Amino acid sequence: MTAMGRGIGESTIVEALPDAVVVAGAAVTTLGDTAFVFVLLLAAYWVLPERVATEPRRTAATVIAIVTGTLAVLTLLKVGFGLPRPPAAATPAVAPDWLPTLFEPWFAETTADDGFGFPSGHATGGAATYLGLAVALDRLGTARRRIAAGAIVAAAVAISRVVIEVHYVVDIVAGAALGTGLLVGGVVLARGRNDGANRSAAVAGWLTAVLYGSASGRRTLDPTRPFIAAAVAALLGVAVAIRAGDPGSVVDASAAVGTALGGAAGWRLCDGSEPPVWAPVGLAAAAVAGPLWILSLAGAVPPIVGACLAFVAAAIILSAPRLSARVDHRRGASSSYSDSP
């Protein structure tokens, strides 16, 4: 597959689009940025109440594990295929005159990208993230409407990548299919084996529950297995990136290894029954974990150090509900003691 062979003439159509559509595409594409996705999933993991999701902590942790694995697989495939982006991705789009000067740096950064182009990371991660959240919010509306909403957001993110000319259509189609497949595979992995049931029956039972809102066949999810699978995929990504001589991908894959293993370790401290995270605990955890995770991806430290930083960051994030529950319990006990005669 060559760069020329991937194009189907979409560049001609995109170049004729009004400036407003391109600016809108740049805005929508941020919904698939790695930082935005993980902040969104972190918020879901910490604050989702039981009125909108069954076992919100356990379900959201599973989606985090799957998306972590998705990013690991992306590094592996992008480096493995080694296919370039469209030529227009090398330079930022020209900002329209009506765009405020304040937003011009953002527009320039968003409409240019480097690295390999196949499959689209935004399309892959968007499908896994937004369809995953649609599955997680199983007490909010009907299953069909949730899946439709998730698919619309994921499709908008994917299409935006073509609109701002950093991907070909085939890149986003492959990415959307890959993200959906990894989501299904990750959920099946998190569900494990049913007594006497085979994998195909597990997939059929889950899809029935998702599409028709049935509670039958539903089993408690275990995020540990998807986290471990993500770590394995990321380790393969490190090996492929080293062999290809791609330092940036080595950094990304190493951070994914640490994130996956740290997520598994942090989750083992929880049991899934924790209430939403108390705000002060969440702020403290984010203040420590956020800079560590950003540093792990910045390439400013050796990859092995970055993996360790990502491990600590993910462990803090995933264990925060248990820490919050303990702090809240002690606060309650202290309040009861002070109120006693």
Side-chain angles (χ1 to χ4, degrees), residues 63-167:
V63 178
I64 292 175
I66 292 171
V67 173
T68 301
T70 296
L71 297 177
V73 171
L74 276 168
T75 300
L76 180 63
L77 293 179
K78 283 196 172 191
V79 176
F81 283 111
L83 296 176
R85 295 176 183 270
T91 56
V94 177
D97 294 337
W98 50 263
L99 187 70
T101 305
L102 177 66
F103 294 103
E104 288 182 0
W106 158 80
F107 185 74
E109 181 179 359
T110 303
T111 56
D113 214 333
D114 55 9
F116 300 119
F118 182 88
S120 165
H122 279 66
T124 307
T129 299
Y130 294 106
L131 291 177
L133 288 174
V135 174
L137 299 173
D138 61 334
R139 290 179 173 173
L140 187 64
T142 66
R144 288 184 182 277
R145 289 181 179 178
R146 294 196 313 273
I147 293 296
I152 289 171
V153 176
V157 170
I159 293 170
S160 73
R161 303 301 285 171
V162 177
V163 169
I164 62 176
E165 296 189 86
V166 296
H167 276 294

Side-chain angles (χ1 to χ4, degrees), residues 196-266:
N198 56 33
R199 292 283 173 162
S200 61
V203 175
W206 176 71
L207 290 176
T208 298
V210 170
L211 294 175
Y212 301 106
S214 171
S216 62
R218 188 182 180 92
R219 297 191 301 281
T220 296
L221 299 170
D222 182 3
T224 306
R225 287 184 288 268
F227 270 127
I228 297 302
V232 172
L235 282 171
L236 291 174
V238 171
V240 171
I242 291 175
R243 182 176 180 181
D246 185 349
S249 294
V250 172
V251 169
D252 292 344
S254 298
V257 172
T259 300
L261 293 178

Side-chain angles (χ1 to χ4, degrees), residues 285-327:
V288 175
L292 292 179
W293 194 67
I294 292 172
L295 185 59
S296 74
L297 290 166
V301 297
I304 185 65
V305 175
C308 293
L309 294 177
F311 177 94
V312 174
I316 291 173
I317 294 298
L318 269 293
S319 63
R322 172 54 62 185
L323 174 61
S324 176
R326 289 182 177 179
V327 170

